[in-house]
Amino acid sequence: MFGRIGRFSVNRPWLTIVFWIVASVALAGLAPELKSSTDQADFLPSRYESAQIMKIQEESFPQQETPAAVVVFQRNDGAALTDADKAAVAKVTESLQAKRYETFKSVVTSPEAVSKDGKMALASVVSAEKDPAAEAGLESIRKLRTDGKAELQGSELKMGVTGPVALMVDAKEAAGDTDAMIMMATLVLIIVLLGVIFRSPLIALLPVLMIALMFIAANGLIATASELFGLEADASNSAILIVVLFGVGCDYILFLLFRYREHLRAGQEPKQALIEAVSRVGETIASAAGAVIVAFLALVFSTMGNMRAMGPSLAISVAVTLVAALTLVPAVFSLLGTKAFWPSKAWKRAPKDRLAGKAGAIASRRPGLVAAVATGLLAVLALGAFGFKPGFDQESSLPKTLESIQANADLQKSFSAGETEPSLVFVKSKEGAQLDKAALDTFRQSIAAVENVGDVSPAVLSPKGDVALYNVVLKFRPSSEQAIELVAGDLRDAVHKNAPEGSKALVGGKTAVLADIEDAVKHDYRLVFPIAALAIMLILGLLLRSVVAPLYLMLAVGLGFTATLGSAVWLFQNIKGEDGLLFSLPIVVYLFVVAIGTDYNILMVARLREEVRKGRSTAEAVRLAVSQSAPTIGSAAVILSGTFGVLMLADNSMLQQMGFAVAFGILLTAFIMALLLVPTLTALIGPKAWWPGSGTGNRSDVHEEFTGGTRQEEPATTGSRS
């Protein structure tokens, strides 16, 4: 089948290329627009308490004011505010209120908004929009900052704006700079590395251009599929799609180009060498893509809405990459022939590759020792995973120089840390009757008595009187670990236990959402990972026609996953002293290390099987497979890890964690697992690795060559080392 695909693409290159261009333009032009969500509660199912709160709030308080920001006023010298200072704060606040910002309902302060130590005053900014973090809300915050600082010009006061929308403004602007830097660094890295590997400007640039075309097609297909089949999709996943396409696309292109160059060096004509490369590597690429696709599709079983949206989108993008690798890439290189390698002549001769040869020789001669060392190294790194602590505090990961971060730090010196985003407690009558005000006052006192609760507002009743709302200020920052533990534990326990008779009481707000997300993530780990592992193991079994090989391959993958996570814990928690790691880091490692990194294991075992089927002994097959696959796997891994490694340049600790974990995990997967552990385990197990088959086939000492619809057989060549 892959020979026929390769033959069609190579012999009809213009038809194939034009089809790709027309299809991509049509999909981009006709596809509906994808929408994105900024509300974390949108990602949770209705069984979670914080999600139920959203529904109650919409039904009972449709005009409920939404806190957007907090303006923090203080003296430049840090002294207590004078009466003149307080009057100035009131005047500035009135002036800001009079400006009637597009999305703000009010900007207000009061004598009660002065701290007990007298050093700070606050003004509350309330949004009139359901989604205050939309672009219009962000722009209103920017204008308020500019106007407020202009009003204070020449006074002894200074101001800073913090709170949820202000934090969103700063995070978005910081991320905008980071995204541009990372994209530029990624493109430069890929172009430079491809240029160094092949010593050709064409090969350095062509993959980038082809992947850009794949991205256009994938985005259009995702949007179209979402519209036609009601799939969940989120426009905010575009950045992840780009990284996946660059990573997977470069891998598959390299797999094909290295085999193409190998056949050229064996003396084949360019078109024939391309057809043979697609024929040989097609099954490997298809199996690798299949493993990645099912791993991504396993995310549809996630509790989290954003994960469910991401799964099909990533699967579609990988499927597009697979089709492009088998059709578009051969078509482009069919037109160029050997000119693609210009000006280098290195494609004509095989390099000595002493390092790859030595690695193959050691792996075949001392498989027990190599397997023990590789396993020991991964096991030591894996020990760190037992100390993994999930972190949900976005603020702690952002640069401390941002205005919202500085203003919030100042606020905490004189007010409760949770002042910017109070938790919400709703009391709802079960029968729709009006709530008793005396019972509501008693309930308020029970909430205020919970340790580390700073302040509880009086109850605000809905128009029907059947729902009451309290704003609960915690002594901890809303996204801190202490706040999440408090809301998920003592606060919710007290709220549920002391709900007035005939009513139910629920806790919502940002902290409650994070507590529910933490529970949802734990559920996903127990469900998604096993489903993905079984699906990948099934694909490996079909590829290898074996029951034994997939078992030890998946054990190796599991060890690699744990070692990757453990490495991040060792570095960031134990060495750098950070309180916790990105809560979704295990999912990120699963997506980009386990799923994509499995490509290298598949390439290795496919090459092992190919050599065994030629009648070679297991030891000789290991030597040849390692020495011949090392350049391909090594080059692909360096490029893929490099694209993620540039995230470590970001001034955001969570991006740094993600970049390190994925980059280091890919290197572990390629150089320790795929090139050392997997082949040595195969050597130790011997022919039983291919049970119930023997690993041999009817192609001993011959290889198939497809030309113009006919099949010819020639004496097999081992192929020069790429």
Side-chain angles (χ1 to χ4, degrees), residues 604-613 621-622 625 678-679 682 690:
M604 175 56 70
V605 293
R607 191 64 184 244
L608 279 168
R609 188 194 63 169
E610 182 179 328
E611 298 301 334
V612 169
R613 292 180 70 178
V622 167
V678 168
T682 304
W690 314 108

Side-chain angles (χ1 to χ4, degrees), residues 304-319:
M304 302 279 291
N306 60 334
M307 289 290 109
R308 290 197 305 273
M310 189 187 298
S313 298
L314 293 177
I316 289 172
S317 67
V318 175

Side-chain angles (χ1 to χ4, degrees), residues 25 36 92 155 160 179 193 217 222 262 282 285 314 320 335 348 363 378 396 427 461 500 517 547 644 650 656 661 714:
V25 171
S36 61
V92 170
S155 73
D179 286 348
L193 288 176
I222 290 166
E262 184 177 322
I285 293 177
L314 293 177
V320 169
L335 289 176
K348 294 182 177 180
L378 294 173
S396 66
V427 177
L461 288 172
I517 286 177
V547 173
F644 284 96
Q656 292 170 4
E714 299 179 345

Side-chain angles (χ1 to χ4, degrees), residues 268 272 276 703-707 710-714:
Q268 293 185 358
Q272 183 55 41
E276 183 72 8
H703 75 269
E704 295 171 357
E705 182 176 347
F706 296 87
T707 57
T710 64
R711 177 189 292 180
Q712 301 174 350
E713 294 191 343
E714 299 179 345

